[in-house]
Amino acid sequence: MFLVCGCIPESFGGHYRVTVDPAKLLIACEEPASAAILVVRGGTIKRNELMPQLFHRSANSAARISILAVVILATLGLTVVFGGVRSPNFTNQYLIRNQPIQFSHKHHVGDDGIDCRYCHTSVEVSATAGIPPTRTCMNCHSVLYNNVGYLAPVRESYSTDTSIQWVKVHRLADYVYFNHSIHVNKGIGCSTCHGQVNQMPLMFQANTLQMQWCLDCHRNPEQNLREKKDIFNMDWKPGPDQAEKGKLLAAQYNIRGVRELTSCSTCHR
Amino acid sequence: MNQREFMDEHNHEHHHVQERGELRILSARAGADVAAEAPLAKHALDLAAVRGKLQARAGKQYWRTLEELAEDPHFTELLQREFPRQAPSEWDEGVDRRDFLKLMAASLAFAGLSGCGLPPRENIVPYVKQPEGLVLGKPLFFATVMPFGADAIGLLVESHEGRPTKIEGNPDHPSSLGGTNAFAQASVLDLYDPDRAQLTTNFGDMRSWSQFLDSAQAAAAAIKSTEGAGFRILTGTITSPLLAEEIQGLLKLYPKAKWHQWEPAVSDGGREGAKLAFGRYLNTVYRVEKADVILSLDSDFLAVGPGNVRYMKEFFRRRKLTGPDSEMNRLYVVEPTPTVTGATADHRLPLRASDVELFARALAAKLGLGGGASLPGAEKWIAAVAADLQKHRGSSLVVAGEQQGAEVHALAHAINAALGNSGVTVYQTEPVEAQPVNHLQSITELCADMDAGKVDTLIIFGTNPIYTAPHDFDFATKITKVRNTIRVSTHFDETAEYSQWHIAESHFLETWGDARAFDGTLSVIQPLIAPLYATHSAREVLAAFSDKPGVSDYDALRDRLKAANSGADFEKFWRKTLNDGVVANSAFTPVAGAAKFSADSLPPAKTIPADQLEFIFRPDPSIYDGRFANNGWLQELPKPVTKLVWDNAALVSSKTSEKLDLAHKAASRGGEHGQIYSPVVDVSLSNSKVTAAAWTLPGQADGVVVLPLGYGRTHAGYTGTNRGFNAYAVRVSSALFTATGGTLKKTDAEYSLACTQYHFNMEGRKILASGTLEEYKKNPNFAHEEDEQPDKSVSLYKPQDFPYAPDKPAWAMAIDLSSCNGCNACVVACQSENNIPVVGKDQVMRGREMHWIRIDRYYTHTPSETDGGHSGDPSEYSPALDNPETFFQPVPCQQCENAPCEQVCPVGATVHSSEGLNDMVYNRCIGTRYCSNNCPYKVRRFNFLRFQDWETPQFKLLRNPEVTVRSRGVMEKCTYCVQRISNVRIEAEKQNRAIRDGEIVTACESACPAEAIVFGDQNDPNSRVSKLKAQQRNYTILGELNARPRTTYLAAVRNPNPEMEKA
Amino acid sequence: MSVAQPPINHPEIRRLEPVLAPGHTYETVTATISDVVIKRPLGLGWFAGFTLAFTFLMVLTVAVAWLIIKGVGIWGINVPIGWGFAIVNFVWWIGIGHAGTLISAILFLLNQKWRTSINRFAEAMTLFAVACAGIFPLIHTGRPWMAYYMFPYPSTMGIWPQFRSPLIWDVFAVSTYGTVSLLFWFVGLIPDLATLRDRAPHKWQQMIFGALAMGWRGSARHWHRYQSAYMLLAGLATPLVLSVHTVVSFDFSIAIVPGWHTTIFPPYFVAGAIYSGFAMVLTIAIPLRKAYGLEDFITMRHLENMAKVMLATGLIVAYGYFFEFFMAEYSGNKFDVFLVDQRLHGPYSPYYFALILCNILTPQLLWIQKVRRNIAALFVMSLIINTGMWLERFVIVVISLTRDFMPSAWGRYSATVWDYATFAGTLGLFTTLLFLFCRALPAIAMAEMRELVAHTSKDHD
């Protein structure tokens, strides 16, 4: 058995083969100092001095730590990324956007108790729930608050026959074909996706609207099914018996199986 | 289609909107405004503003005014459109903003592993007052008609929040019966064509409509003083009573005024033939369904000409086989060059166009109608046909071609009469044309008058004489002698160049009007949308010269109908008419009196020496006489037989090609489908020359050179300008459709043509099965000879990998090849329904066309190279190509149950739906193209570049909001119109019922005038598709691959005449 | 080169000429090799070569940038031919990437001494080749930013990649191979890095090499661990050599395309890979030894051995070609029969014959020892074989696609300037890295060479 020392100064012409009693050698090699002493050539032993240290001692610990650091940073990075794309900052959840008119669902739905369908007329029949034309606003506001300043845009729109430009709150990607009517007709209530609108002074997106979130329901619709009468009930919450109730409702609405509901073409065209 | 009840109010809405002269569009997608539609809405306003500003100024200042206006972004966009539109080209754009954004998106994606950045701010722009009956997110269907020559095709137009997006046939309309053709399908693209003229101009300067009205009235005064001596109107064929009434009104007002007509692609033969046979102009209507034996004398009645869609329906209804015991009609075609009608024929005889008359005479002689003519070489054929016709007296039919002369038509009438077909399979009515005249005479007179300086004011619409008039008339110089020319057209075209005034014409989807169908049925043209630009109808322009200008089309139309239908409750009648799309029983009644005509009365026929080349002019199958030249869908539509796109070519027969060494060769780019180098030839004819690319066409009569009309336009627009060669350039009045004495000289030059299918034989593979009725009766299972369909269980993937519950629908399609004649209606319908981009000639030459459904053309009885036969290159001569049997096969995605594409996609972007659809998920696709490589049917299409036009606002209006618009790097393919399936399913589920058979109709199925494509649930034994699949003719392409397609085919069956076989 | 004297009694060395020219001491070995890195000034030749290579590298960046801007439409691909140069190059580079690990790992395990002087740069070459290959799967979609869809990660879409697809297998196979090769190479480098650290004249060099040497002192424990680690990695790398190209071949054999769908692909691809790999090693070794006077270390024996390996693998490849035909005809599958017919008579037959010439006929010259020992001949041969192997991939990938099942959809393929630019670009990347490597790191494993010295000198005593 032989070894080659890595720390012999140039003056000795580089590396030498050392053949000695392994036991001694091993001891000797434990610390560089003595390792440097044991230099053998042709059976003769020469002494020499150590070469200067290149790195400070701390380099060793630095090296060891760096290994740990890489692992930690990697985990941290991934957590940030995967957490980040799910966070409201990314999904715009809870984000309140500036609207031309400070329209309060809380007031109209919560306080006045106006039914969703009064404004969102096509929710039961069409893919889109429908944003009310100005005329709908004027039905009431031609008499109520018909001269308050913050409704000026409504009156202007009506008189000048130019649309109010609302800012979209619930935005699905263009390749997602969501259909309100089928959900509403099959026992999914407004608040399941839109949250408790009756408690929102200003509208915001209550859920992530990410595919995963859609699939949570499409893979297990029972958890969110309600009776017809509760569809437009903003305060509905799944009861403790939702599990079996959901099954009954699923049968009653004859909801398609998971395989059907999770076929790509169910939502993508 | 129950929405149609609401339509009336909606029309009023349109009407009022129109009055206000502005445009309202709502969302392309549920309630949300697609940002880019705003600018368009603004356009209309801008125009109003522009008009206002311009009126405030005097003539001299206009250009300065324009410069002032030029700062306005919308206005600049309105005037300048440089970006690629229907045909994006690969190299013409550098790194622009959009590309930069793409890179940004890339980096963003890298950073966030999200695939998309923060969603852009989108606005919702609701109505102020929502039109009644409009349910957001639900399309409405309105009935209207598309006027086309001496016909009008009944349509139901799908409208999304006021945007017409898709054309369907109107089942209640006699000319459609629910079917459409490629032209009708593509017409919606014409509406949104960004190259359309958008305002009134005078020598190119903008003018307001009112300014035109003033000048028109001033002119009218002058005209009145001369009783209209110098007043002329030049139109195409007109079947609109409303328009005719307007013209007649003017002619009454100005007695000396004249109305001329010029329809370039249709000969006077039909009219004059009727005159010969019946003593006056009459309209001929066929009852194809009643005919057992049909002989076409160079008539492409299944593809073009009045009633073609109707005739297609009727014809193929007689070719549907339910089993070995069912019968078929029989079609003989005599024609110089292969057409879809010829390709459908049970017997086809290629003859030079001029010999067709000899054929007719010989046949007449054989049938004892005098004139002892004979046609050497074809006696046997004629004998067999004559015998067959005789055998089916009263149930046979002879059809003469639109481009044939009066004699042939007269003979056809005579033969039909002699065979007792008159009144049964064919009848005459009063002319559908408002005023039938001999067009050639008519335009000749006009030219003479113009030359003599007799013409002072000339209104031109519905025809494009500078481009289409015979070149010996030299219309261009003569028109300059006219003081005041008013050109009304949708584009600023060749004729507009030579006119003082140009009035931008409204599209038929933008105006009120009426039109008669081939059988005289009257229909109302109702607008689907307010005019996109400051456009006007021809009638408005005419009215401007009348004593009551400014009457809107809407009022004029209602007044006319009121007058015509006095008594009955008009509003009720009006609603019903609009709802049905036809004026109830307005079809003309047959006129009595058989043809009084004997072949003896004919002068001796002039024959052309066999060694002379015969040049014939034919409308192009895709862009007709050139009127559709700027329509990208039609330009990129493979011509049924040649499969050429974006170009026309001088078509020569295989023999001629061999003689003149005109063989073309596949380039290494695209190759067998893509770029083909063809030799350039100089055509010198009637002391004029044109240079064309030559194309060898198997089945063409020897010695015939076809020069397709409609190409080589100089002012068609971005898409259509300078494509192909202009055949009108060598067309003279003395030889409008058949010319001789010309020469064809090969040059050293080569020209690249784009051809989507070059190779024509099947290499002995089980792709298109065909047989004769006899074979079928003998062996109903003939389609399965040497079948190699493996057992279902033979698959690495266990059945439970794709279980299809027997109680749930399993979507499937059956295509009856006996009923397909490759008319292409389905291809355009699919393109329109599924937002399929147009890629342009360069990309097609690279083999990158995007059609989801393609129509393959095969010549059978030509052994493939592997069986020591033909290489499949049409320009290599072989006797088999003199008159090959031609078959067509529409190939959409086969929707395999055991789909090869699915197993190789790394990201699961193409997977099976529970109903057995092979879903393609664009937003999951990363574009490895592995699926396409592994697709044995090669039906997948890839967006190699950004083929979609994301900028042009008009195209945003055009798109179907139900279908994702694919971007670059994404694979796409036929989905069985999954959007239609989903919508129907949702409705059915809401009503807790099963989906009914026939409730889901794919775009191709609904467009198909031959009812060849049937879609449905194969788990339902009573569905039409199951019944078809139950037939023994049913087979799958390349069954041995065990991909188990849901799309299957019914073997083509032809019905040749056994006698003929012997002959 | 000098003849071995005084008489050597070592059996192997007596029979063959030495893998290291005699007369070398530890000092000379270390000096000659390390001086290339730390002493020798950058010569004009190096600069010229590097500049050229770097220019091509820039071509690559341009080509890729344009690709990302415009899309894969800038290439010659179309609908029947969905895969073009990109995949051809991918397979070709991956193939080349085989020799290195094969030499280092398998020959190491087989205790082939002659591998010693070539394994270092063979491994480097492997890494660079894998780097070049790795580019293509990424860019061939035209949308590299979507590539992460291929990895199984907790997505907000709640779906996973499609594990039945060979492309997914590729992702894992190639990345694993790349990682292991890198580790293997680096571990091998450590003692030499230490040597360089000790010999480097400048402080900054010492610091860099020192950091990379990770405190190597050469104590017995270091050596002990080093050797077991090296052994382990060799063990790990060995199966990978076979697996990678097997998986790559699955991309084709799993598909149903005639010309792809055949079970012979895995062995035949691996053989082909080694074939091209060794050819590439030669292509590099011959100029390298000349340029830096390493003839004593990369001796005729090496070259000849590699020539023999090429001959052997070349024959395996030939066998593969033959059986492609045999199976087609034997199975009688009409598509396969048609395909082989197309290979011979189709529009692309010239490519096929060219490939037969390059891969089967020419290499037969290697039977002749004169040729094996003629450096110029070997160099040319290696180039020919590299070309041939590229053609082989072109024939398999592209030509099989031009005429598959539906005659109506048949097409042709012609590469665009961007296809060529991308290919040339990767060659640029490869050579750039090589140029940098041969001046920044010892191209030959000094430590291991010293062991050879040991052997030879042992014979002195």
Side-chain angles (χ1 to χ4, degrees), chain C residues 363-423:
Chain C
Q364 299 314 315
L365 293 173
L366 292 172
W367 288 104
I368 309 158
Q369 196 182 36
K370 272 211 174 42
V371 180
R372 284 208 304 272
R373 302 180 61 87
N374 178 328
I375 296 181
L378 280 181
F379 186 67
V380 174
M381 187 77 68
S382 69
L383 292 179
I384 291 177
I385 290 171
N386 279 320
T387 325
M389 288 311 292
W390 192 91
L391 281 172
E392 178 199 301
R393 273 56 183 260
F394 181 80
V395 167
I396 292 173
V397 176
V398 172
I399 299 179
S400 309
L401 286 170
T402 54
R403 292 189 160 183
D404 65 350
F405 297 100
M406 293 284 268
S408 59
W410 285 357
R412 303 233 180 123
Y413 174 86
S414 79
T416 65
V417 55
W418 295 107
D419 285 299
Y420 290 107
T422 319
F423 181 41

Side-chain angles (χ1 to χ4, degrees), chain B residues 691-703:
Chain B
T691 312
W695 187 262
T696 311
L697 183 52
Q700 176 146 312
D702 197 24

Side-chain angles (χ1 to χ4, degrees), chain B residues 680-683 689-693 724-726 747:
Chain B
V680 173
V681 291
D682 283 331
V683 179
K689 276 168 69 68
V690 72
T691 312
F725 71 95
N726 180 3
T747 67

Side-chain angles (χ1 to χ4, degrees), chain B residues 763 765 866, chain C residues 334-342 403 410:
Chain B
E763 298 297 337
R765 298 172 184 185
T866 36
Chain C
K334 57 173 172 276
F335 303 113
D336 293 350
V337 173
F338 180 80
L339 175 96
V340 296
D341 174 74
Q342 284 300 309
R403 292 189 160 183
W410 285 357

Side-chain angles (χ1 to χ4, degrees), chain B residues 115 670 672-673 765 797 846 848 856 902 904-906 925-926 928-930 933-934 938 944 968-969 1040, chain C residues 68-69 73 75 77-78 82-83 140-143 148 162 164-165 251 256 334 403-405 408 410 412:
Chain B
E672 272 114 329
H673 85 279
R765 298 172 184 185
Y797 302 97
R846 294 167 191 269
R848 296 173 181 172
D856 289 346
E902 292 175 4
V904 296
C905 176
C925 176
I926 63 174
T928 66
R929 308 181 297 286
Y930 201 172
N933 290 344
N934 212 30
K938 288 290 173 282
F944 289 91
R968 187 190 107 195
E1040 61 265 49
Chain C
I68 290 175
I69 291 165
W75 292 341
I77 48 177
N78 53 34
W83 286 353
H140 98 288
T141 66
R143 295 186 299 159
Y148 69 95
Q162 211 266 98
R164 282 188 303 180
S165 167
D251 290 349
I256 65 172
K334 57 173 172 276
R403 292 189 160 183
D404 65 350
F405 297 100
S408 59
W410 285 357
R412 303 233 180 123

Side-chain angles (χ1 to χ4, degrees), chain C residues 78-409:
Chain C
N78 53 34
V79 157
I81 303 110
W83 286 353
F85 269 27
I87 302 298
V88 174
N89 299 340
F90 166 68
V91 180
W92 188 67
W93 279 121
I94 282 285
I96 286 170
H98 272 59
T101 323
L102 180 96
I103 291 167
S104 341
I106 297 184
L107 298 188
F108 175 75
L109 294 179
L110 299 177
N111 199 5
Q112 293 291 316
K113 283 269 170 289
W114 63 274
R115 76 180 258 291
T116 309
S117 49
I118 53 168
N119 69 336
R120 170 66 43 76
F121 70 82
E123 284 169 45
M125 179 203 76
T126 294
L127 284 173
F128 305 155
V130 171
C132 292
I135 292 176
F136 287 104
L138 204 59
I139 64 168
H140 98 288
T141 66
R143 295 186 299 159
W145 57 91
M146 302 299 289
Y148 69 95
Y149 274 18
M150 308 258 286
F151 293 94
Y153 71 99
S155 80
T156 59
M157 290 170 279
I159 48 175
W160 297 100
Q162 211 266 98
F163 292 103
R164 282 188 303 180
S165 167
L167 290 187
I168 291 291
W169 311 343
D170 269 356
V171 171
F172 295 113
V174 174
S175 50
T176 319
Y177 184 62
T179 323
V180 173
S181 315
L182 180 64
L183 276 174
F184 194 47
W185 182 62
F186 180 70
V187 169
L189 265 170
I190 290 176
D192 288 3
L193 288 166
T195 313
L196 289 172
R197 174 195 60 200
D198 300 342
R199 302 176 70 102
H202 307 294
K203 178 84 175 162
W204 62 271
Q205 289 176 316
Q206 293 175 352
M207 294 296 277
I208 295 173
F209 289 124
L212 289 173
M214 301 201 298
W216 174 273
R217 293 191 315 276
S219 71
R221 179 168 298 170
H222 282 178
W223 277 105
H224 179 255
R225 294 198 176 144
Y226 166 80
Q227 290 190 327
S228 44
Y230 199 73
M231 181 69 77
L232 280 176
L233 281 168
L236 260 177
T238 307
L240 287 178
V241 175
L242 304 177
S243 73
V244 182
H245 228 55
T246 307
V247 171
V248 169
S249 76
F250 286 163
D251 290 349
F252 305 99
S253 45
I254 293 290
I256 65 172
V257 180
W260 286 11
H261 187 58
T262 153
T263 46
I264 196 159
F265 267 22
Y268 149 48
F269 264 52
V270 173
I274 298 164
Y275 192 30
S276 57
F278 270 87
M280 188 56 90
V281 176
L282 271 180
T283 322
I284 298 166
I286 291 171
L288 189 72
R289 69 202 281 272
K290 186 124 221 71
Y292 295 112
L294 302 174
E295 285 90 345
D296 288 359
F297 306 138
I298 307 173
T299 65
M300 210 54 229
R301 166 118 172 261
H302 295 103
L303 304 185
E304 198 172 348
N305 281 0
M306 288 194 270
K308 287 176 183 164
V309 176
M310 288 203 306
L311 183 55
T313 48
L315 288 172
I316 303 179
V317 171
Y319 174 86
Y321 295 158
F322 167 71
F323 261 86
E324 233 183 343
F325 273 75
F326 176 76
M327 290 319 289
E329 301 296 342
Y330 174 67
S331 73
N333 175 319
K334 57 173 172 276
F335 303 113
D336 293 350
V337 173
F338 180 80
L339 175 96
V340 296
D341 174 74
Q342 284 300 309
R343 291 264 164 93
L344 298 180
H345 309 115
Y348 288 93
S349 49
Y351 292 83
Y352 190 71
F353 291 121
L355 116 81
I356 295 294
L357 182 69
C358 297
N359 284 359
I360 299 188
L361 303 183
T362 339
Q364 299 314 315
L365 293 173
L366 292 172
W367 288 104
I368 309 158
Q369 196 182 36
K370 272 211 174 42
V371 180
R372 284 208 304 272
R373 302 180 61 87
N374 178 328
I375 296 181
L378 280 181
F379 186 67
V380 174
M381 187 77 68
S382 69
L383 292 179
I384 291 177
I385 290 171
N386 279 320
T387 325
M389 288 311 292
W390 192 91
L391 281 172
E392 178 199 301
R393 273 56 183 260
F394 181 80
V395 167
I396 292 173
V397 176
V398 172
I399 299 179
S400 309
L401 286 170
T402 54
R403 292 189 160 183
D404 65 350
F405 297 100
M406 293 284 268
S408 59

